[in-house]
Amino acid sequence: MTKFDSVAKLWKGEDDTNKLFHENVTVGRAVLYLLKISSEKICQISADDGSQRTNNEIYEATLRIALKLQKQGCSKGDVVGFVCRNSHDLTPAFLASQYLGAPTNALDISFTKEEISHMFRATKPKFVFCDNDAVGKVQSSLHEIGNRATIIILGEKINGFAHINDFLDDDVDEREITNLVLHPPEVDRRSCSSIICSSGTTGLPKGVAVSHESLQIMFCRPINQLLGPSNSIFCFSSLYWLSGYISMFRGFFMGAQRIITTKTFTPELMISIIKEYNVTLLISPPAQAAQLMNCPLFEKDTLAGLNNYTCGGSMVTKELSNKMKQYLPKGALTIVYGMTESGTISTESSQSLKGSVGNLTAGCTAKITDDDGRLLGFGESGEICVQTKSQFLGYYGDPESTKEILDEDGWIHTGDLGYFDEDGLLFVTGRKKDILKYNNFHVTPSEIEEILETHPGVSQAVVVGIPDPVFTDLPAALVICKQGKQVSEEQLTEMIEKTLPDYKKLRGGIYFVDNLPMTASGKIQKFRAKDIAIGLFKQRTIRHKL
């Protein structure tokens, strides 16, 4: 339960619980310790072909890869990049890097060359594991930034590149493996374990540096058992998402089978995997949950075997939450609210119909502030600020951006608006930040605006989000044409689709206007621009229905 300090005007979760491992232990080492306990247990199943991996197979593969990486010069502090789907070989490669104390930086396979260049320019990886069909853009990105990282291919072999099988062969001296196990790298509380991407208010993603201790607090600790050895966990997310970490590490630390797939989400595929592999813990963003329940193949008993459906990553509406609970006869819906920078802030697992994001998690302290920094009380909405035991070290190589979100007193300013009620439940009412979310992907308006304004006929553009119950935000643009110039919506749509990934398309529409709402100082009033876009979107929707 959340407790309120009426004098300090602070809300606090329950007292923190102890970690299972010492702070000097890397997360990779902690996982290997648990894998060794039940070596013959099946821990991973691919839904692509039904193939399986045991704890021992993951254990041995991890140490072989770690040894080969170490021999090629990978040591504590060296960044290892990943541009991979969820495959059997990704897991030991990722754990090997973690074991060596080499920070991992996983990017989504959908990233463009420009997005990869941006992140790797900041994180400077020494090695990059990537799927065979991504090697072209990865190689081009590294060349563009002058990085000579070793590229290691997963999937089909490509001439001229190292392959994951080169790191898994039998040409290993067991004495060297034993030495690696007996003398593992040690870390401290400030040692970076992972650099997880997070979109900021300035545009392209930033690297959220998370310590080994923070990951231990999040995953390697005694928790209420949602799963057991006979259960299975599934999530479509790659290791680009924090939910991908949750799926992998919770599977290991709960002793459950993790179901993986290299395929992208469709509600039909999700239903198939849930049924075929008897999934008991399902993790997804609300956009996937909404599409799942709107799918023609979805039946009343589709989720009947679930013990828990964990949903988070963007706002879960009260309507969606209540609908989901109807289809979980023996399972609980857990709504998770948090951010990569803080870890989990609160969870809602009760059958309450209030629409809150629940009570603060153990070790979390929160305050609500107005624009002047004044502390607010019950029922008063303001910015949610938090301190957690698992909060990030800072943005990797970007101290200025770190200062914008983490103040000198250690408070993370979430950019979200919300309030606490008299029962200590937290409600999120909106976002102070400008970032949009489409299907759980972050979309930065300024990036799209800059591209639109490169068109010779465009004078000015502003991008806003059209609220959508399934996808959260549908990016839409208001455009002012240059005098005497004619521009079509098709031209601009084609330009965006050629330049940006699918999730950044302007699905909310492009609307030509004569002027934009401005402040006295000449800045665009985005909240008014959004109202205009919503009105034009509704008019277009009505016309299409006629």
Side-chain angles (χ1 to χ4, degrees):
M1 296 296 291
T2 302
K3 298 178 181 178
F4 179 59
D5 184 333
S6 59
V7 177
K9 286 193 173 181
L10 299 176
W11 284 266
K12 295 184 179 182
E14 295 179 353
D15 293 337
D16 195 24
T17 55
N18 295 324
K19 303 186 298 291
L20 292 176
F21 297 92
H22 192 273
E23 64 194 45
N24 296 140
V25 174
T26 66
V27 174
R29 183 181 167 194
V31 170
L32 292 193
Y33 174 83
L34 294 177
L35 292 178
K36 197 65 175 174
I37 294 175
S38 303
S39 60
E40 298 307 314
K41 183 183 182 302
I42 295 170
C43 65
Q44 190 166 273
I45 303 175
S46 172
D48 295 349
D49 58 11
S51 57
Q52 304 174 346
R53 293 292 184 274
T54 64
N55 283 342
N56 190 60
E57 288 173 320
I58 297 293
Y59 178 91
E60 291 190 350
T62 297
L63 289 175
R64 287 173 184 268
I65 296 171
L67 182 62
K68 291 289 183 74
L69 283 174
Q70 192 178 65
K71 285 186 172 184
Q72 292 193 22
C74 183
S75 58
K76 185 170 66 176
D78 291 332
V79 175
V80 180
F82 293 84
V83 187
C84 308
R85 300 171 181 85
N86 289 327
S87 67
H88 280 314
D89 288 335
L90 171 61
T91 305
F94 189 84
L95 292 177
S97 305
Q98 291 283 341
Y99 184 86
L100 294 175
T104 51
N105 179 214
L107 311 184
D108 196 73
I109 196 73
S110 67
F111 266 34
T112 63
K113 181 174 78 71
E114 291 71 27
E115 289 172 318
I116 294 171
S117 297
H118 169 76
M119 280 307 305
F120 284 169
R121 182 181 288 111
T123 60
K124 301 176 177 60
K126 193 170 183 177
F127 297 86
V128 177
F129 290 85
C130 74
D131 287 351
N132 61 281
D133 59 348
V135 68
K137 62 182 178 182
V138 169
Q139 184 182 38
S140 179
S141 300
L142 292 173
H143 177 75
E144 181 179 284
I145 63 177
N147 184 308
R148 303 180 70 178
T150 298
I151 297 176
I152 305 163
I153 304 297
L154 278 67
E156 296 179 9
K157 291 186 176 182
I158 299 177
N159 290 335
F161 292 94
H163 190 269
I164 186 66
N165 288 349
D166 302 333
F167 291 71
L168 293 169
D169 59 37
D170 295 328
D171 184 23
V172 174
D173 188 333
E174 290 300 327
R175 291 173 298 181
E176 292 180 308
I177 293 287
T178 300
N179 186 62
L180 183 61
V181 172
L182 293 177
H183 302 91
E186 292 191 347
V187 292
D188 58 36
R189 288 183 172 178
R190 299 294 299 176
S191 296
C192 179
S193 167
S194 297
I195 305 167
I196 306 174
C197 294
S198 176
S199 294
T201 57
T202 57
L204 291 167
K206 293 187 284 289
V208 180
V210 181
S211 69
H212 287 268
E213 183 181 48
S214 290
L215 287 184
Q216 281 200 44
I217 290 170
M218 281 190 259
F219 307 119
C220 314
R221 58 191 291 176
I223 60 173
N224 293 328
Q225 292 296 306
L226 301 175
L227 291 176
S230 61
N231 289 271
S232 57
I233 182 171
F234 176 65
C235 176
F236 272 100
S237 299
S238 70
L239 293 174
Y240 164 69
W241 306 99
L242 189 59
S243 52
Y245 278 68
I246 294 172
S247 175
M248 183 173 70
F249 285 118
R250 282 281 163 85
F252 286 133
F253 284 93
M254 290 178 170
Q257 292 177 349
R258 173 177 172 240
I259 312 301
I260 60 171
T261 180
T262 60
K263 299 176 182 178
T264 56
F265 166 81
T266 66
E268 293 82 6
L269 180 57
M270 178 179 272
I271 291 170
S272 174
I273 291 174
I274 291 171
K275 290 184 176 180
E276 184 172 355
Y277 294 96
N278 298 315
V279 173
T280 50
L281 172 55
L282 182 64
I283 302 172
S284 85
Q288 291 182 3
Q291 291 175 73
L292 173 68
M293 285 181 286
N294 290 329
C295 177
L297 297 181
F298 184 80
E299 299 173 341
K300 187 176 181 180
D301 64 348
T302 296
L303 305 179
L306 292 185
N307 292 335
N308 183 272
Y309 192 149
T310 297
C311 195
S314 55
M315 189 176 295
V316 181
T317 64
K318 183 178 179 180
E319 292 74 20
L320 177 60
S321 171
N322 293 342
K323 185 176 182 180
M324 292 172 71
K325 290 172 183 176
Q326 296 174 18
Y327 297 101
L328 294 167
K330 69 172 188 177
L333 171 65
T334 299
I335 297 172
V336 177
Y337 168 60
M339 55 195 302
T340 310
E341 291 87 343
S342 65
T344 303
I345 294 171
S346 67
T347 59
E348 168 62 271
S349 299
S350 70
Q351 294 301 311
S352 169
L353 302 181
K354 288 186 174 183
S356 79
V357 293
N359 284 286
L360 296 179
T361 55
C364 180
T365 302
K367 63 180 180 180
I368 308 294
T369 65
D370 62 15
D371 290 340
D372 297 320
R374 186 174 63 91
L375 296 177
L376 304 177
F378 290 116
E380 296 180 297
S381 185
E383 183 176 14
I384 301 168
C385 301
V386 298
Q387 290 180 337
T388 68
K389 299 292 185 181
S390 58
Q391 66 191 49
F392 73 143
L393 298 169
Y395 292 122
Y396 194 85
D398 192 352
E400 291 305 313
S401 294
T402 301
K403 291 178 182 177
E404 293 175 5
I405 187 173
L406 185 65
D407 66 29
E408 58 187 14
D409 295 320
W411 288 96
I412 294 174
H413 293 250
T414 67
D416 292 327
L417 300 174
Y419 65 91
F420 283 92
D421 70 4
E422 295 285 347
D423 296 322
L425 297 177
L426 177 61
F427 292 77
V428 179
T429 57
R431 289 195 302 279
K432 188 176 181 180
K433 297 182 289 186
D434 194 29
I435 300 299
L436 308 179
K437 273 192 176 181
Y438 173 78
N439 203 17
N440 213 40
F441 280 88
H442 287 87
V443 178
T444 306
S446 60
E447 181 184 14
I448 305 175
E449 290 163 0
E450 288 172 5
I451 293 172
L452 291 172
E453 290 175 359
T454 63
H455 191 285
V458 173
S459 172
Q460 196 170 17
V462 59
V463 172
V464 296
I466 306 295
D468 184 87
V470 174
F471 297 103
T472 306
D473 293 309
L474 300 178
L478 300 179
V479 175
I480 298 177
C481 294
K482 291 180 180 177
Q483 191 171 0
K485 298 284 186 178
Q486 288 189 342
V487 184
S488 70
E489 182 173 352
E490 290 74 21
Q491 289 175 330
L492 298 182
T493 298
E494 183 178 0
M495 187 168 65
I496 293 297
E497 291 181 352
K498 284 184 177 179
T499 310
L500 296 175
D502 179 77
Y503 64 87
K504 294 181 180 179
K505 289 180 181 178
L506 291 167
R507 288 178 166 82
I510 298 173
Y511 308 95
F512 297 97
V513 295
D514 295 326
N515 52 62
L516 295 169
M518 310 289 282
T519 65
S521 60
K523 295 182 180 180
I524 297 173
Q525 293 178 308
K526 282 219 167 183
F527 68 98
R528 290 185 177 174
K530 181 175 181 177
D531 290 341
I532 293 171
I534 291 173
L536 293 171
F537 177 82
K538 289 180 178 178
Q539 291 177 20
R540 178 177 291 183
T541 302
I542 292 172
R543 287 199 302 270
H544 286 171
K545 290 181 178 180
L546 295 177

